[in-house]
Amino acid sequence: MGRDTISQVTIETDTSQSRDENPKARETLTVNENHVLQDRQIGVLGAISLVVNKIVGAGIFSTPSTIFKLSGSVGLSLILWVVAGIISACGALVMLEFGSGMPRSGGIKVYLERCFSPKQMQTCIYLFFCLFLQVSASNAITASEYLLSAAGVESTTWKERGLAIAAVSFAVGVHTCAPRIGRGMQDLLSMVKLFTLLFIVCTGFAALAGHRRIPNPHNFDVKTSFEGTSKNGYDIGTALLDAIFSYQGYDNVNAVLSEVKNPEQTLRIALPCAMGFITVLYVLANVAYFAGVSKEEFRSAKVTIAASLFRNVFGETAATRALPALVALSAIGHLLGVAFVVPRLLQELAKDGITPFPDIMMQNRPFKTPIAALFVHLGVTILFICAPPAGDAFSFVVGLSSYPMCVMLTAITVGLVKMRFTPSEGWSSSYTAPWPVIVFYLAANVFLLVMPFVPPNSSKSSIPYWLSPVVALGILGLGVIYYLLRFVLLPWLFGYSLHPVTKDLTDGSRVVRYRMQRNSSREGTVDTSDSYRG
């Protein structure tokens, strides 16, 4: 592939040219692509498993009870799951257009940079989003809870946290040292997840046929199916946000497209297939829950609602006792999916020279994996697992990712509309999402951004209802502050400018490093003798 043999990122100056020429034209960046880029080894099955593992965690086994409580009725709850699936399918089509137009790794980061200026500010915002709002602490804790339940061990706070740290360490470790095994485990666990959902759906059909150990819950009676429907905007918006959160992850393949074989073709097959399977299975799984679980059990559920369904259909049998292990495996599959993608996004940010120690962060030695970024992801996840106190504060911190993801998806959709209406942007893609899809998706996301600020009728939580979106927006705002400090304020205060030096790579990405140049206050000239900053 024409890769050079330099083992580090360096800025070189071509002294053969005249000193009277612009010094910027003489600067070149040398990069060993062997130490930066991964190989294209992800096929259609691998791409589908990336989407399935990111979307299907433990949420589908437990959040239906929360969504029912917020919506107030069986009918509205099922409608919200269908609407969430449609919205997410529309989002997948938006991702398909972006991925077909820019078939390289980076995902939302690349799309933000393409849509908005200044580019560095978008990159800085995405750095804080990726570093602090894409951790997998919630699924790590879920995995530990259900592993303890499957083993019949009494659960305590630090047992849960210790096992959660072990689970995320395993996910990071296998992707660090044995990436081929890690991808194989992802593929296998995605099949386990789909099998579990199919088993739940079949159990629901058995319940509908009358094979229950409880009386008929009558959840689908025409007269009572919408009884108790909530009329509070906050409750409905939160329920829809929770349902959409259970579908999030359709951007996972876009984040690593440089590692996908035939990326445009693979994306066209993988995204519709994965989203179609998941949406149908999610809706049928909820029908199954309501077929075998009463409304009272939904309101009082303290374990996964799937456990209540199995107990009501099979009794205390091996199938019921095996469910915690299946949920734990599902959560571990999610950990593997996150540990595969997020460090690669940090690696892309390191290529841009935005992260601290970018030369180290973007290296893939010695296992062809972004080892430094993997360990940064592990450290932040452990921090989120251990730092918050137990109770509402912990649930708040580990569940902080849904709102900022909605912000990011809204931003790139607005950016897509902007590029389509601006011919000078020169936007083109081999796939074009229909306008009704884009308009509906954008309207839905705006609704989801506004609703969490509508006051609820009542709240049992000790944390203000508006705190989650405010904290999420605050963390994204840190990216703006970081940009202003590094690229605007400090250069102005200390009298220098940052000159980007770039190197295009064979996967379509580029490496950027910033050359610090002193501004001469007397002559108005530039002193190019200063050192470079990565």
Side-chain angles (χ1 to χ4, degrees):
M1 297 178 65
R3 296 180 177 176
D4 53 55
T5 57
I6 306 301
S7 62
Q8 60 183 356
V9 177
T10 57
I11 291 181
E12 296 182 345
T13 302
D14 183 1
T15 58
S16 65
Q17 300 185 41
S18 169
R19 292 180 179 273
D20 295 331
E21 294 180 10
N22 184 351
K24 294 180 182 180
R26 299 197 303 269
E27 294 173 346
T28 59
L29 198 63
T30 9
V31 181
N32 185 349
E33 294 192 359
N34 250 344
H35 297 163
V36 177
L37 302 181
Q38 275 69 249
D39 298 324
R40 293 188 183 272
Q41 297 184 345
I42 301 174
V44 173
L45 177 60
I48 292 174
S49 73
L50 274 174
V51 176
V52 171
N53 275 317
K54 183 68 184 292
I55 294 179
V56 184
I60 187 59
F61 306 110
S62 54
T63 53
S65 61
T66 302
I67 292 169
F68 171 74
K69 293 172 192 175
L70 289 167
S71 63
S73 69
V74 173
L76 182 57
S77 178
L78 290 174
I79 288 173
L80 291 177
W81 278 102
V82 173
V83 170
I86 294 172
I87 292 172
S88 300
C90 292
L93 294 181
V94 170
M95 283 295 164
L96 182 55
E97 176 167 347
F98 271 119
S100 299
M102 292 180 283
R104 68 177 183 86
S105 290
I108 292 174
K109 165 195 170 295
V110 177
Y111 311 149
L112 286 172
E113 293 169 348
R114 178 67 175 80
C115 295
F116 302 106
S117 296
K119 175 182 173 180
Q120 288 98 336
M121 187 171 76
Q122 315 309 318
T123 313
C124 292
I125 292 171
Y126 194 78
L127 170 62
F128 280 81
F129 168 76
C130 192
L131 190 59
F132 296 110
L133 297 172
Q134 288 291 282
V135 296
S136 48
S138 58
N139 270 273
I141 288 291
T142 300
S144 67
E145 287 175 345
Y146 286 99
L147 284 172
L148 290 171
S149 175
V153 177
E154 182 183 358
S155 177
T156 65
T157 298
W158 282 104
K159 281 182 183 178
E160 288 180 1
R161 292 180 177 182
L163 198 53
I165 292 171
V168 74
S169 298
F170 167 76
V172 168
V174 72
H175 279 312
T176 300
C177 301
R180 188 182 296 273
I181 294 175
R183 289 193 300 270
M185 292 182 67
Q186 285 181 179
D187 295 345
L188 177 62
L189 289 178
S190 67
M191 296 300 104
V192 171
K193 292 180 182 190
L194 294 177
F195 167 77
T196 304
L197 286 173
L198 281 171
F199 188 53
I200 288 172
V201 170
C202 292
T203 303
F205 283 129
L208 285 173
H211 299 285
R212 299 179 301 268
R213 296 175 182 248
I214 62 167
N216 187 348
H218 295 288
N219 287 328
F220 299 115
D221 291 356
V222 176
K223 294 182 180 179
T224 60
S225 58
F226 283 92
E227 187 177 30
T229 296
S230 174
K231 298 179 181 178
N232 181 264
Y234 175 86
D235 289 343
I236 296 173
T238 303
L240 184 57
L241 189 61
D242 285 347
I244 288 178
F245 177 63
S246 296
Y247 284 99
Q248 279 183 0
Y250 46 83
D251 64 311
N252 225 30
V253 182
N254 293 63
V256 292
L257 274 181
S258 296
E259 298 183 50
V260 176
K261 303 171 186 175
N262 301 316
E264 294 181 52
Q265 180 181 350
T266 300
L267 204 60
R268 283 177 178 251
I269 298 172
L271 271 181
C273 286
M275 291 306 299
F277 281 139
I278 291 169
T279 301
V280 171
L281 288 175
Y282 270 19
V283 173
L284 290 179
N286 278 275
V287 171
Y289 295 146
F290 285 115
V293 181
S294 67
K295 295 177 184 177
E296 291 72 23
E297 281 188 276
F298 263 92
R299 295 189 182 99
S300 61
K302 294 182 179 179
V303 293
T304 64
I305 202 67
S308 300
L309 172 65
F310 279 27
R311 185 173 56 251
N312 292 345
V313 174
F314 300 112
E316 296 296 337
T317 62
T320 305
R321 291 191 294 271
L323 183 65
L326 292 174
V327 175
L329 286 174
S330 182
I332 290 172
H334 180 89
L335 294 179
L336 285 165
V338 172
F340 182 82
V341 170
V342 172
R344 282 161 171 77
L345 291 173
L346 293 175
Q347 184 185 39
E348 291 297 314
L349 290 161
K351 288 182 187 178
D352 290 327
I354 297 297
T355 67
F357 311 107
D359 291 354
I360 297 174
M361 287 287 289
M362 77 176 191
Q363 294 290 320
N364 66 4
R365 294 180 289 176
F367 303 110
K368 296 288 286 183
T369 56
I371 185 168
L374 279 156
F375 278 95
V376 168
H377 172 68
L378 174 63
V380 175
T381 305
I382 290 175
L383 178 66
F384 272 65
I385 290 171
C386 295
D392 290 339
F394 179 80
S395 300
F396 164 78
V397 170
V398 299
L400 200 59
S401 63
S402 56
Y403 190 84
M405 176 57 81
C406 189
V407 173
M408 291 292 170
L409 294 172
T410 304
I412 64 170
T413 308
V414 170
L416 181 60
V417 173
K418 167 180 163 288
M419 290 194 298
R420 283 196 180 184
F421 279 112
T422 311
S424 60
E425 290 281 355
W427 171 248
S428 64
S429 175
S430 60
Y431 172 80
T432 303
W435 272 113
V437 166
I438 295 175
V439 172
F440 177 70
Y441 185 60
L442 184 58
N445 277 321
V446 170
F447 172 80
L448 294 172
L449 292 179
V450 172
M451 280 301 104
F453 290 100
V454 177
N457 290 332
S458 62
S459 176
K460 297 180 181 179
S461 174
S462 59
I463 296 176
Y465 69 92
W466 44 262
L467 190 60
S468 180
V470 167
V471 169
L473 292 173
I475 292 175
L476 296 179
L478 291 176
V480 179
I481 295 172
Y482 177 63
Y483 163 76
L484 292 174
L485 284 173
R486 181 173 175 183
F487 292 96
V488 180
L489 185 59
L490 290 179
W492 176 73
L493 284 176
F494 294 101
Y496 65 85
S497 59
L498 291 175
H499 160 55
V501 184
T502 65
K503 169 73 173 180
D504 292 325
L505 304 182
T506 55
D507 70 337
S509 65
R510 63 172 48 182
V511 173
V512 181
R513 293 293 179 265
Y514 292 93
R515 179 78 154 82
M516 190 178 74
Q517 299 174 331
R518 290 287 179 187
N519 300 322
S520 173
S521 59
R522 290 184 179 180
E523 303 296 334
T525 58
V526 176
D527 177 7
T528 62
S529 61
D530 290 323
S531 60
Y532 114 90
R533 288 189 174 186

